[in-house]
Amino acid sequence: MSDFKDFIGSEKGPQCPRVYILALTDTLNVISGKWKLPIIAALLRGVNRFKDLLDSTEKITPRMLSKELKELEINSIVERKVYNQTPVLIEYRLTNSGKDIANVIDSMIDWGMIHRTQVITKTDAGEGS
Amino acid sequence: MSDFKDFIGSEKGPQCPRVYILALTDTLNVISGKWKLPIIAALLRGVNRFKDLLDSTEKITPRMLSKELKELEINSIVERKVYNQTPVLIEYRLTNSGKDIANVIDSMIDWGMIHRTQVITKTDAGEGS
DNA sequence: ATGTTCAGTATACAAAAGTATACTGATATT
DNA sequence: AATATCAGTATACTTTTGTATACTGAACAT
């Protein structure tokens, strides 16, 4: 497991390797923005078609959905499969990497929940600003 | 440990609890944007003063640094301490939550690195588009 | 009195991200 | 022939995010 702290947490530690920075900004690009996580969540739930993603992702416009799906496809997070039936069927599916991002989401949820309890505890009992 | 997959990864699983969504968006807000992670990284390295953060965070303007530090302070990621010496000394320090976010960063780096190797493997050997 | 450092603020602007609304084209249904 | 569905695209915005450049004010140092 990589350990950012080892590189960046010490007063005069080694520089953070560039591959770490690249990996980090990749990840940030994949999850940043208003719609990426809602779309990934829908795909994880097994929603795969454009129309269904439109309906299940509250208030997103087709323009944004189209744009986001393209970005996710370019970054190998989703695959687009065309089935030449009529009416044409197009399915978006998470790649293995795409599925694995659930681990990142988990660690974000963990931090967020602990952070909330810590902030609330401080606000209740602390020296309050 | 929370498990997003359990809630969102199954075809007809339970709905994702709202507290998870809140925690997740909290985390996203803390790390999103051009400067949040560079600033947090500098703070983890032990850079604590406005001027030093300006110098060590490449190309950031005082306006942005000031704005970001305020946001981080409001969200209890950093504490601002004023030492009434002359010249006045002001230190920004990560809270415990702020330090813990290194765990999230680690999982982001892990995903990013694995993702890169998978994409490269596919591109080298796969059916390439 | 003039200049220097620290810790910022003020104003204006540019670029990126997101929204609103309407439309397209292929195929099928009535 | 008119209508509907799927999978989007087109155009024109508005909002948010980030940049550039200059300035402020307190406390010293020369």
Side-chain angles (χ1 to χ4, degrees):
Chain A
M1 173 150 177
S2 73
D3 208 341
F4 194 58
K5 293 177 295 302
D6 290 349
F7 291 94
I8 221 152
S10 58
E11 290 283 327
K12 278 280 178 204
Q15 288 298 79
C16 187
R18 187 148 309 166
V19 283
Y20 280 22
I21 302 293
L22 290 172
L24 184 53
T25 54
D26 281 0
T27 310
L28 203 50
N29 285 336
V30 168
I31 62 178
S32 284
K34 185 169 179 184
W35 297 114
K36 296 277 169 52
L37 285 179
I39 291 168
I40 290 170
L43 292 167
L44 280 168
R45 265 186 279 119
V47 180
N48 300 107
R49 301 177 64 177
F50 195 88
K51 182 88 193 324
D52 294 337
L53 288 165
L54 258 188
D55 294 344
S56 77
T57 311
E58 221 185 337
K59 297 280 182 187
I60 197 172
T61 60
R63 183 186 191 277
M64 287 309 288
L65 180 56
S66 171
K67 196 181 140 256
E68 301 284 41
L69 285 171
K70 267 173 196 157
E71 277 185 49
L72 291 170
E73 197 190 349
I74 285 167
N75 290 314
S76 298
I77 313 304
V78 310
E79 285 174 339
R80 181 177 184 275
K81 280 193 182 165
V82 180
Y83 297 90
N84 252 330
Q85 331 172 338
T86 83
V88 66
L89 171 60
I90 292 168
E91 277 190 345
Y92 295 92
R93 292 196 176 277
L94 290 169
T95 60
N96 288 333
S97 286
K99 287 173 197 159
D100 290 346
I101 212 157
N103 295 324
V104 176
I105 295 174
D106 284 341
S107 85
M108 290 174 71
I109 292 173
D110 288 344
W111 180 87
M113 305 233 325
I114 292 170
H115 178 59
R116 278 192 166 234
T117 68
Q118 287 186 351
V119 169
I120 287 164
T121 307
K122 275 254 168 105
T123 309
D124 286 353
E127 319 79 20
S129 93
Chain B
M1 172 148 176
S2 73
D3 208 338
F4 194 57
K5 292 177 294 304
D6 290 348
F7 291 95
I8 223 154
S10 56
E11 289 283 325
K12 279 278 177 204
Q15 288 298 80
C16 187
R18 186 148 309 164
V19 283
Y20 280 23
I21 301 293
L22 291 172
L24 184 53
T25 55
D26 280 0
T27 310
L28 203 51
N29 285 336
V30 168
I31 61 180
S32 285
K34 185 168 178 181
W35 297 114
K36 296 275 168 58
L37 284 178
I39 291 169
I40 289 171
L43 291 166
L44 280 168
R45 265 186 279 119
V47 180
N48 299 108
R49 299 176 66 176
F50 194 88
K51 182 94 195 322
D52 295 336
L53 287 166
L54 258 187
D55 293 344
S56 76
T57 310
E58 218 184 339
K59 296 280 181 187
I60 196 171
T61 61
R63 183 186 191 278
M64 286 309 289
L65 181 57
S66 171
K67 198 182 139 258
E68 301 283 40
L69 285 171
K70 267 173 197 158
E71 277 184 49
L72 291 170
E73 197 191 351
I74 284 167
N75 291 313
S76 298
I77 312 304
V78 310
E79 284 175 340
R80 182 177 184 275
K81 279 194 182 165
V82 181
Y83 296 91
N84 254 329
Q85 331 171 342
T86 84
V88 66
L89 171 59
I90 290 167
E91 277 189 346
Y92 294 92
R93 292 196 174 278
L94 289 170
T95 60
N96 287 333
S97 287
K99 287 173 196 158
D100 290 346
I101 211 154
N103 295 324
V104 176
I105 295 173
D106 284 342
S107 83
M108 291 174 70
I109 292 173
D110 288 344
W111 181 86
M113 306 235 321
I114 292 170
H115 178 58
R116 278 193 167 233
T117 68
Q118 287 187 350
V119 170
I120 288 163
T121 307
K122 274 257 168 102
T123 309
D124 285 354
E127 318 79 22
S129 91

